[in-house]
Amino acid sequence: MFYVPLSKNSSATAMDVSKLIQKKVGPDVICKQAIECVNVVEGKRYLRYAAIIEKNDEQSVFVFMANRVPCLQSGDLSLECVIPIDAQLRCHAEDDSSSQRSMQIAAPPKQGNEKGDIRLALKSSCADIILEMPKNENSTLFLAEVTRARDLQTQSLAFGEIPTFSWLEPFRLQCTQGNPAGSAGSRASCSSSGVPNSNDSQNPFADDTFDPLKHMNLQNTGTKVMASDVGISRTTWFEDDLTSLSLKPPEMLNASRKSVSSNSLDKILDDADGFTDSMLSLEKQFGISPSVEMPVGSKPPTSREKFVRQILSERDDEFTNQTTFRVFCGTWNVNGQSPAEALHKWMVVDNDAPDIYAICFQELDLSKEAFIFTDSQKETEWQNAVKAYLHPKASYRKVKSIRLIGVLLIVYIQEKHVPYVKFIDADSVPTGIMGFLGNKGGVSVRMMLHSSSLCFVNCHLAAHQNESERRVQDYHDILAKTRFKQFDPPLCISEHDVIFWIGDMNFRIDLPNDEVRTCIRQGKLKKLLEQDQLSKLMKSGGDVFKGFEEGIPQFDPTYRFDAGTDVYDSSEKNRIPAWCDRILWQGPDIQILRYDSHPHLKVSDHKPVSALFNTKIRVIDQKRYKRVYEDIMKKMDRVENDYLPQIKLDKTEIVFNDVKFIEAQSTVVTIANVGQVPVEFQFINKLDDTTYCRPWLKATPSQAIISAGACCEVTVEVYVDKSSVARLNAGEEKMEDILVLHLTGGKDSFITVSGNYLISSFGSSIEALVQLHGPIREVPVADLIEIEKPGSLSRVDIAQDGGRLYMVPKEIWKMVDFLHQHALDMDELFQQPGRNSEIQFIRDCLDTGRPEQISGNLCVHSVAEALLLFLECLAQPVIPYEYYTQCLTSSNNLLLSKQIVSSLPDCHKNVFLYLCCFLRELLMHDEHNGLDIKFLSTMFGEVMLRQPPKPNTGTPSNPSSSSSSAKVREATAKERRSRLRDEEAKKAAFVYHFLSHEIDF
């Protein structure tokens, strides 16, 4: 063995040797690429040739030794080792040019390699090898091809396609034994695929982070479903950051390393799980104190301090300067693909480096496993790609990243601005079916920069041409439900100075397909924009994206293309092109500089979109701030001695009529400040209560400061959801409450709220529903309350009353029967959300005795979501609360699980078996509906097995806390998340028994 320095023209050398390798391996396989490299073993370096060999869509890395240099014929090459490129292969690539080596040199040192090398570590269950290759285009292509091949295998494995690599066996026999590199490693524990031998190939959960089948201990029953203690193991030797090197052009590798900092703000300040940043850590890092925004855990300000802050915010023009910051926003629906192209033409659109990057992805991971909130390798790949392609003229630090299944938002800021960033927080809102699935939804990141608050939102709204109503519904859900809980009270999106709303909004063009495509070819984009759904909604003056602006798209619609081409959809579905991918903004003094699409990136069926803005940020002048502050304090001293706060309410009694489940009603209460000083009000808790109002009631805003002579409108809303419907149905709670309006330094006022609640079958008990023969609205309230009492079914004398009991509630039967007739072959069943208006219509049909109106005119997804909502709202879940712990404990055993179900009350047992029978029939049509047993067992495990509610201790929470108590809360939160994930897996395993076996009782 001897060492030979790498050639400067390694690309040409590899091209020559690839012909010799092709001849060496024979005509049955294809040598796709070859490269000259060295094998690093115990500090010594040996000349090698690495090649990517392909057969039957399976690829492998072959490493050859050279018997003489240069190689003149195929006989000069000897095969040293074979490494299958499968899902278990782990790669690590790094630029070795700046590292200091302390190696033993087996031959003269390298010459002429000032640019440095790339070191590639390949590790699988069968091999462990380090290859060093010159930094040039051929090496970049080699690394990219390895990444692409591995990702393809990962996707195939997710769908149950396990590679065999049986064609490698003859080549393994040729491998040189006893070589000094020892790279081939042991093959004793590997199959021909390089995957450890296992009998778990039928385990659909085996690749999940939390495998429900780990809790099973099924024996061989002769059925096709088998489970063992563990599934296929996942090796995690080191972080896989191959992408960051493999996809960059060689000339940009050094520049990219200079442009990215080694640490990021979320890694410094955040906990390991990527949840919201600890304010204590933030304050320690930046040395800041609370400003107008109050984070949870900070010492509450006095009333005087609040007034001062309010007046300061009104006079901020006197002590702030407007400084221009450049903000880059980008969005790309990547259709589940891995980064396979250079991103610099998308992310670097100007010579001047942006101060802030907000990069948004949708459909990051399309695997079925991703729908149940598991980790995703795709996130790591795209995070690395983004980091590598930030503007080369600046150094950046990651502020925060947050992912909801396939929706990923990454925010970077220039290193020089880091000391002025504070109060970082993030939140996510799934808008998939029942809010349980995150296949659609939004993620948000907010921060304070100097004295301005910024919020970035990445959304993926409902798809399909005719679903504009659902897209609007998704927008309102994200806007209403996003809460940055680091603050007390939590902040919402609209409470920020600058907002960027980005993403795949899925709005379409209301024109025929042929006309749209003709306009695109003729460049008549203005005509298309006039029929663009989003443009029409924003111009209508309604409440959809109210106050937001958008640049005029001067580029062709960005959806939908045949992947890898610039050709609009030519598939059977032949979708109409549309501007699905949009970037909107809201805030003063924002100037859009560019609004572009980037059609040269072709890996997805969408084209990425970018926008560049000049944004004015308020920067405090400390000297002027001090003068204004002193002036305010002097005036406050004079005013406090002369005046007391006074208000007037336009109403003190509110009555809501005919309140229905999941249908909001609201009214406005106007609070007028009739005094001479600013007034601070807040709705406060009543004695022994933990909140200021009942769960079905909300006042917005719940606290505010009103200037002298001004008014504040408070929206009082009632909304009965799944958390409160059961108590209202059972008569355990009445729709009555009193809001206590507290004035700081003044007297309290009281607002009484009452309503007429219409009892619904949603939220009733199975025990009560099987006794009802007519619609629930026609039953006297007193009778309903009586049959809702526990044990009411045991007091029914059927013989004496001359009645009968239903096997299952007629409401459940009607919805299941509808799905059985119309949805057995429906794609994405139980994955797409329904329409709110239709779910409310279904509720009314079931409650008023009009079930026949639940007909084929309704959207199948609305009925599916209504069924799940009905099950989730049951006063006692399908598996009653008292059996919950037993079910989790026995989830590892089919026989014990069967015994528990057989012991359930008859009405609950009948519903459980009826639903399982229906789900098994759905699985018989999986070729058409795309459902699998793992997904259904997880989904229905959540709604049929619910954790018993915890008793209310009545102890109010204290927002103030010390550093130690904050750490305790963070540790408790991590422990709780871990426990919930474990329980979720066990619930899925319990239901899985009854979906995979047809069991007789």
Side-chain angles (χ1 to χ4, degrees):
M1 293 297 174
F2 52 92
Y3 167 83
V4 177
L6 292 178
S7 168
K8 292 183 181 179
N9 193 15
S10 181
S11 178
T13 303
M15 289 178 63
D16 294 335
V17 80
S18 64
K19 298 179 181 178
L20 298 180
I21 292 176
Q22 181 65 70
K23 187 176 180 180
K24 180 77 174 179
V25 296
D28 294 335
V29 297
I30 300 173
C31 177
K32 298 194 65 175
Q33 198 168 358
I35 187 170
E36 180 184 324
C37 58
V38 295
N39 187 8
V40 181
V41 184
E42 297 179 353
K44 298 182 179 182
R45 307 169 71 250
Y46 302 90
L47 177 65
R48 295 290 184 269
Y49 293 100
I52 299 177
I53 308 297
E54 182 181 61
K55 183 177 181 179
N56 301 332
D57 294 326
E58 297 174 350
Q59 297 184 343
S60 178
V61 175
F62 283 31
V63 180
F64 293 90
M65 297 186 299
N67 298 325
R68 69 175 178 180
V69 178
C71 297
L72 302 178
Q73 55 187 4
S74 60
D76 296 336
L77 297 171
S78 298
L79 184 59
E80 184 178 46
C81 70
V82 174
I83 307 171
I85 304 178
D86 56 15
Q88 277 69 49
L89 180 65
R90 293 294 178 265
C91 312
H92 179 81
E94 63 181 15
D95 182 353
D96 199 38
S97 60
S98 61
S99 63
Q100 299 294 326
R101 301 186 185 91
S102 57
M103 290 185 173
Q104 292 180 333
I105 304 299
K110 298 185 290 180
Q111 301 294 332
N113 194 25
E114 292 83 358
K115 290 187 178 180
D117 296 335
I118 297 174
R119 304 188 77 185
L120 171 65
L122 298 174
K123 192 166 187 178
S124 70
S125 54
C126 301
D128 185 359
I129 188 171
I130 298 177
L131 301 177
E132 193 173 274
M133 55 193 70
K135 189 189 302 180
N136 57 29
E137 183 178 2
N138 201 48
S139 300
T140 302
L141 294 174
F142 184 90
L143 298 176
E145 182 63 25
V146 171
T147 304
R148 188 193 69 84
R150 185 198 56 189
D151 290 343
L152 288 175
Q153 292 297 333
T154 301
Q155 293 177 13
S156 299
L157 190 63
F159 291 97
E161 301 174 7
I162 302 177
T164 62
F165 289 100
S166 58
W167 58 276
L168 290 180
E169 289 303 327
F171 294 104
R172 286 199 174 98
L173 297 176
Q174 301 175 22
C175 292
T176 304
Q177 301 298 319
N179 65 78
S183 58
S186 172
R187 295 171 48 215
S189 61
C190 297
S191 67
S192 60
S193 66
V195 180
N197 291 324
S198 173
N199 294 325
D200 299 336
S201 60
Q202 300 299 319
N203 180 355
F205 294 95
D207 289 331
D208 280 4
T209 305
F210 299 98
D211 178 2
L213 295 185
K214 289 180 181 178
H215 305 286
M216 296 184 180
N217 187 26
L218 299 180
Q219 304 299 320
N220 189 348
T221 59
T223 65
K224 65 178 183 179
V225 180
M226 294 294 295
S228 63
D229 187 49
V230 294
I232 297 176
S233 62
R234 287 186 175 271
T235 51
T236 54
W237 298 289
F238 41 74
E239 179 185 358
D240 186 349
D241 61 300
L242 170 65
T243 310
S244 61
L245 279 174
S246 64
L247 303 181
K248 292 193 70 67
E251 64 272 16
M252 292 189 62
L253 284 171
N254 286 333
S256 72
R257 294 182 68 82
K258 294 178 182 177
S259 69
V260 184
S261 301
S262 58
N263 297 318
S264 58
L265 295 186
D266 61 342
K267 289 183 179 178
I268 293 174
L269 305 173
D270 208 357
D271 61 43
D273 287 343
F275 285 77
T276 55
D277 300 278
S278 163
M279 281 309 308
L280 295 168
S281 300
L282 272 168
E283 294 177 0
K284 182 178 179 181
Q285 176 72 15
F286 296 125
I288 59 177
S289 59
S291 65
V292 176
E293 296 172 331
M294 282 300 297
V296 174
S298 299
K299 182 180 178 180
T302 63
S303 174
R304 183 185 179 91
E305 289 172 340
K306 291 181 180 179
F307 288 136
V308 170
R309 288 175 178 175
Q310 175 70 17
I311 300 172
L312 280 171
S313 66
E314 295 171 357
R315 296 179 59 180
D316 65 350
D317 289 341
E318 299 179 34
F319 56 85
T320 57
N321 299 317
Q322 299 283 338
T323 302
T324 300
F325 280 69
R326 184 158 291 194
V327 179
F328 175 95
C329 298
T331 178
W332 193 6
N333 182 318
V334 296
N335 194 32
Q337 302 301 309
S338 295
E341 303 169 277
L343 306 183
H344 60 282
K345 290 185 180 180
W346 173 38
M347 296 179 55
V348 182
V349 297
D350 193 76
N351 289 330
D352 296 329
D355 297 283
I356 301 172
Y357 271 100
I359 305 297
C360 304
F361 295 103
Q362 305 84 37
E363 294 191 1
L364 193 78
D365 193 336
L366 295 179
S367 65
K368 296 180 181 179
E369 288 76 11
F371 280 84
I372 316 299
F373 301 98
T374 56
D375 295 333
S376 172
Q377 176 65 23
K378 298 289 185 184
E379 178 181 2
T380 302
E381 295 172 356
W382 283 105
Q383 288 264 15
N384 290 339
V386 168
K387 182 179 179 181
Y389 286 100
L390 296 171
H391 204 291
K393 291 186 178 180
S395 296
Y396 290 89
R397 187 78 64 86
K398 188 197 292 184
V399 177
K400 188 77 176 175
S401 67
I402 180 172
R403 179 177 67 88
L404 174 68
I405 309 305
V407 185
L408 172 65
L409 169 60
I410 314 168
V411 179
Y412 276 90
I413 193 166
Q414 281 196 32
E415 189 94 33
K416 63 183 180 182
H417 302 309
V418 166
Y420 310 104
V421 176
K422 53 182 180 284
F423 304 139
I424 305 165
D425 204 352
D427 193 24
S428 63
V429 175
T431 60
I433 184 166
M434 293 180 62
F436 174 71
L437 289 179
N439 53 326
K440 296 292 189 292
V443 295
S444 307
V445 170
R446 64 92 55 206
M447 65 180 179
M448 283 288 294
L449 178 59
H450 289 282
S451 189
S452 295
S453 58
L454 290 84
C455 181
F456 300 93
V457 183
N458 176 19
C459 72
H460 191 191
L461 307 183
H464 305 305
Q465 183 78 23
N466 300 320
E467 295 294 349
S468 182
E469 179 186 339
R470 276 173 51 193
R471 287 188 275 278
V472 172
Q473 177 182 318
D474 288 351
Y475 158 75
H476 285 300
D477 285 346
I478 295 170
L479 186 66
K481 296 178 181 178
T482 298
R483 289 291 182 267
F484 300 107
K485 303 174 183 66
Q486 207 172 79
F487 304 90
D488 186 18
L491 294 180
C492 60
I493 292 174
S494 59
E495 295 178 289
H496 290 81
D497 301 319
V498 177
I499 305 169
F500 292 99
W501 197 298
I502 314 163
D504 179 2
M505 303 184 191
N506 260 320
F507 287 102
R508 308 304 171 95
I509 298 172
D510 292 327
L511 287 174
N513 200 340
D514 292 340
E515 186 175 352
V516 171
R517 297 185 184 225
T518 300
C519 288
I520 294 172
R521 287 194 297 270
Q522 297 176 352
K524 298 180 179 179
L525 300 183
K526 183 177 180 181
K527 180 179 180 180
L528 298 182
L529 279 172
E530 291 173 353
Q531 296 301 317
D532 172 68
Q533 293 175 350
L534 178 59
S535 299
K536 290 191 291 185
L537 284 169
M538 293 178 69
K539 291 177 181 178
S540 67
D543 58 352
V544 180
F545 289 107
K546 185 177 181 179
F548 281 87
E549 300 178 64
E550 183 188 19
I552 300 175
Q554 301 289 350
F555 47 85
D556 291 345
T558 56
Y559 172 87
R560 176 183 185 186
F561 293 86
D562 294 337
T565 73
D566 291 323
V567 178
Y568 284 108
D569 187 14
S570 62
S571 69
E572 183 180 346
K573 295 183 178 180
N574 197 29
R575 291 181 177 86
I576 303 175
W579 285 287
C580 290
D581 311 284
R582 312 293 274 267
I583 299 174
L584 313 180
W585 76 88
Q586 183 184 95
D589 302 316
I590 298 177
Q591 177 189 6
I592 185 168
L593 305 177
R594 302 177 62 102
Y595 195 20
D596 305 306
S597 73
H598 302 271
H600 62 280
L601 292 173
K602 304 177 182 181
V603 70
S604 173
D605 55 357
H606 289 246
K607 301 300 183 184
V609 172
S610 68
L612 193 64
F613 301 91
N614 274 344
T615 305
K616 297 292 186 181
I617 299 296
R618 296 195 306 272
V619 179
I620 295 176
D621 183 318
Q622 292 296 332
K623 292 183 179 179
R624 289 154 55 196
Y625 170 82
K626 185 176 181 181
R627 289 197 296 268
V628 173
Y629 180 80
E630 291 174 349
D631 179 59
I632 292 173
M633 294 302 291
K634 291 177 182 178
K635 291 181 179 179
M636 286 291 297
D637 290 338
R638 292 195 299 269
V639 169
E640 285 177 350
N641 295 326
D642 299 332
Y643 301 102
L644 292 175
Q646 298 179 38
I647 63 166
K648 184 177 180 179
L649 302 176
D650 69 335
K651 62 185 72 170
T652 57
E653 183 177 1
I654 301 172
V655 178
F656 293 99
N657 294 318
D658 295 341
V659 178
K660 299 179 181 180
F661 172 64
I662 62 168
E663 190 167 326
Q665 291 190 36
S666 63
T667 188
V668 173
V669 176
T670 301
I671 306 174
N673 183 355
V674 295
Q676 302 298 314
V677 293
V679 170
E680 180 195 14
F681 76 84
Q682 180 181 11
F683 291 102
I684 61 173
N685 303 349
K686 297 177 283 295
L687 186 65
D688 297 330
D689 284 351
T690 58
T691 59
Y692 72 85
C693 66
R694 300 295 185 191
W696 42 265
L697 182 62
K698 181 175 68 173
T700 308
S702 61
Q703 64 181 59
I705 295 177
I706 311 174
S707 302
C711 296
C712 178
E713 291 186 343
V714 175
T715 300
V716 179
E717 179 184 86
V718 291
Y719 183 76
V720 179
D721 61 10
K722 61 187 179 183
S723 66
S724 53
V725 62
R727 292 181 59 82
L728 289 169
N729 276 350
E732 298 175 4
E733 183 176 329
K734 294 183 178 181
M735 187 160 278
E736 297 175 354
D737 200 4
I738 298 176
L739 295 174
V740 181
L741 181 64
H742 174 70
L743 296 185
T744 302
K747 63 179 182 179
D748 294 343
S749 300
F750 302 91
I751 303 173
T752 61
V753 180
S754 61
N756 171 36
Y757 172 69
L758 300 180
I759 291 179
S760 173
S761 55
F762 286 78
S764 297
S765 66
I766 294 176
E767 193 173 13
L769 291 172
V770 296
Q771 300 179 56
L772 297 179
H773 292 254
I776 196 169
R777 295 267 180 88
E778 295 181 2
V779 180
V781 174
D783 293 347
L784 284 174
I785 293 175
E786 186 65 29
I787 64 174
E788 282 288 356
K789 292 181 179 179
S792 66
L793 195 58
S794 62
R795 297 189 290 272
V796 175
D797 190 338
I798 298 176
Q800 181 178 349
D801 296 343
R804 62 186 177 85
L805 301 176
Y806 286 109
M807 291 290 291
V808 297
K810 57 186 180 299
E811 294 83 3
I812 294 178
W813 171 84
K814 180 58 185 176
M815 289 184 282
V816 170
D817 183 63
F818 176 93
L819 295 174
H820 186 269
Q821 292 183 44
H822 302 283
L824 289 180
D825 296 330
M826 177 63 65
D827 189 27
E828 295 187 326
L829 187 64
F830 297 118
Q831 299 175 39
Q832 288 289 340
R835 300 171 183 166
N836 278 351
S837 58
E838 291 190 343
I839 295 174
Q840 292 170 359
F841 176 77
I842 294 168
R843 173 208 61 203
D844 288 340
C845 290
L846 297 176
D847 291 347
T848 59
R850 296 179 287 126
E852 69 281 354
Q853 295 188 20
I854 303 178
S855 62
N857 296 328
L858 289 175
C859 173
V860 166
H861 300 300
S862 297
V863 180
E865 182 169 3
L867 173 62
L868 288 171
L869 183 61
F870 192 95
L871 297 176
E872 192 174 25
C873 291
L874 289 170
Q876 279 275 352
V878 176
I879 306 291
Y881 288 129
E882 58 263 33
Y883 296 87
Y884 180 80
T885 303
Q886 298 178 48
C887 290
L888 297 189
T889 304
S890 67
S891 63
N892 64 341
N893 189 285
L894 173 61
L895 180 60
L896 291 178
S897 299
K898 181 180 177 181
Q899 289 175 351
I900 291 175
V901 172
S902 64
S903 66
L904 297 178
D906 287 344
C907 57
H908 286 265
K909 179 174 66 177
N910 292 338
V911 171
F912 180 79
L913 296 178
Y914 178 65
L915 291 170
C916 289
C917 181
F918 168 62
L919 296 178
R920 285 198 301 272
E921 187 158 359
L922 280 177
L923 291 171
M924 293 171 63
H925 295 257
D926 58 352
E927 292 184 0
H928 302 285
N929 58 38
L931 293 171
D932 70 5
I933 190 170
K934 177 177 59 174
F935 172 79
L936 288 179
S937 60
T938 304
M939 169 66 77
F940 279 82
E942 285 295 310
V943 297
M944 294 197 292
L945 265 167
R946 303 204 308 267
Q947 187 178 29
K950 295 181 179 179
N952 187 357
T953 61
T955 303
S957 59
N958 181 8
S960 301
S961 62
S962 64
S963 175
S964 59
S965 61
K967 292 179 179 178
V968 170
R969 286 200 310 273
E970 290 180 8
T972 303
K974 290 182 182 180
E975 181 181 348
R976 180 176 176 272
R977 289 193 294 269
S978 176
R979 177 176 53 79
L980 289 176
R981 289 169 180 166
D982 185 55
E983 288 184 6
E984 177 185 301
K986 291 181 178 180
K987 287 187 284 187
F990 183 88
V991 175
Y992 184 90
H993 289 306
F994 299 91
L995 301 190
S996 58
H997 299 80
E998 189 169 348
I999 301 174
D1000 296 326
F1001 285 89

